[in-house]
Amino acid sequence: PASPLSVARTAPFWRRVWDRASALWMLQCGQYALTPDHHPLIGLTPVEGLYVNTGYSGHGIMAGPAGSALLAEVLIGRVSPDQNPFRLDRTFEARRHDLL
């Protein structure tokens, strides 16, 4: 966490995780994250100061930049939480995800 490149510098949550060290934890990548409506999760989480841009189910390389632009708009207040269609507390309506 002391590194100038550490995420703890911008998200104090991670410094608290490191300092607490009460359980083993690790970061993993390469997982597919799916939501019931097959849309990403973008915005503030219940953890103070932690925002996410995730849940692209393998399409992050294509849709991630647009999601990042939306997240930036959320962070600076140009998009309010109720205007964000991908907020974490939205109502999810399951839809089919056919692979043709």
Side-chain angles (χ1 to χ4, degrees):
S3 166
L5 304 176
S6 170
V7 71
R9 188 173 51 82
T10 57
F13 163 80
W14 290 111
R15 176 170 292 286
R16 290 190 300 272
V17 168
W18 180 269
D19 291 342
R20 188 173 55 229
S22 61
L24 294 175
W25 56 275
M26 65 178 176
L27 298 176
Q28 295 181 349
C29 63
Q31 306 300 315
Y32 282 88
L34 295 169
T35 60
D37 63 0
H38 300 282
H39 291 296
L41 299 171
I42 301 172
L44 183 63
T45 71
V47 177
E48 182 182 345
L50 181 63
Y51 290 78
V52 296
N53 179 15
T54 188
Y56 291 97
S57 66
H59 299 284
I61 194 73
M62 296 177 286
S68 297
L70 174 60
L71 182 56
E73 297 289 313
V74 168
L75 287 169
I76 64 173
R78 284 193 190 151
V79 172
S80 67
D82 61 320
Q83 293 173 316
N84 177 3
F86 306 117
R87 65 187 179 276
L88 281 67
D89 65 350
R90 69 183 183 264
T91 301
F92 292 96
E93 292 185 26
R95 50 178 219 163
R96 287 183 55 142
H97 188 215
D98 294 330
L99 299 174
L100 300 175

